[in-house]
Amino acid sequence: MTQIRQLILMRHGQASNGAPSDRERELTAIGKTQVTEVAQQLVALKDWRPQVALVSDALRTQQTWQMVQPKFDLEMRVSPELYLGGHQSLMVALSAVDNAVGTALVIGHNPGLSEIASQLTGEMVGLSPSHAALVRVQSEDWLDSLSALGQWDLVSLLQPSFSLLQPS
């Protein structure tokens, strides 16, 4: 049976550059403010309540999750494959999601999240820190939905009221 599948592809907040390794980079104060604002925007969208969160194992994505989590009552799965992963990594992570789940939140990194959003929608989607792309498609299951490249609708792009132009 087909149903609407919704993905919230959220990039971690702005992160510092001073860490022993890339996986250990922490959110900056600005990054925390930005994540909080985007999480509040997401809460206001009643039709976009995630039922599961798939989160990269990097510190900055875990911190982003910790700021989003109080807004929702949902299961979180650490998905190491999302660390700098692309479409295939997302397929691996979503393969374990029950097909009864209609909306999934993915917190990860660029360039992977922007590439995934662009491939799914057939549009160029660029996600800066703390931005979230809300995409949806009608599909039998999660794996079929991820094979429907270019067929997803880009419903909205959430972003904080201010963004810095530096990559993180």
Side-chain angles (χ1 to χ4, degrees), residues 2-21:
T2 64
Q3 75 176 55
I4 293 177
R5 307 277 169 197
Q6 299 184 136
L7 273 177
I8 303 162
L9 300 170
M10 184 174 188
R11 187 168 169 206
H12 61 79
Q14 180 194 52
S16 68
N17 290 322
S21 73

Side-chain angles (χ1 to χ4, degrees), residues 73-146:
D73 179 26
L74 69 152
E75 171 191 1
M76 187 275 275
R77 298 179 190 167
V78 175
S79 299
E81 62 274 5
L82 293 176
Y83 178 74
L84 304 181
H87 188 260
Q88 283 301 116
S89 300
L90 182 60
M91 286 185 81
V92 169
L94 278 173
S95 67
V97 173
D98 188 297
N99 284 318
V101 170
T103 303
L105 167 65
V106 177
I107 301 176
H109 312 267
N110 261 355
L113 284 184
S114 291
E115 290 171 358
I116 291 164
S118 298
Q119 289 171 349
L120 292 176
T121 64
E123 301 178 40
M124 286 299 298
V125 179
L127 296 174
S128 294
S130 303
H131 289 203
L134 283 57
V135 298
R136 80 166 46 127
V137 72
Q138 187 95 16
S139 169
E140 292 287 330
D141 59 43
W142 280 106
L143 287 182
D144 283 345
S145 68
L146 292 175

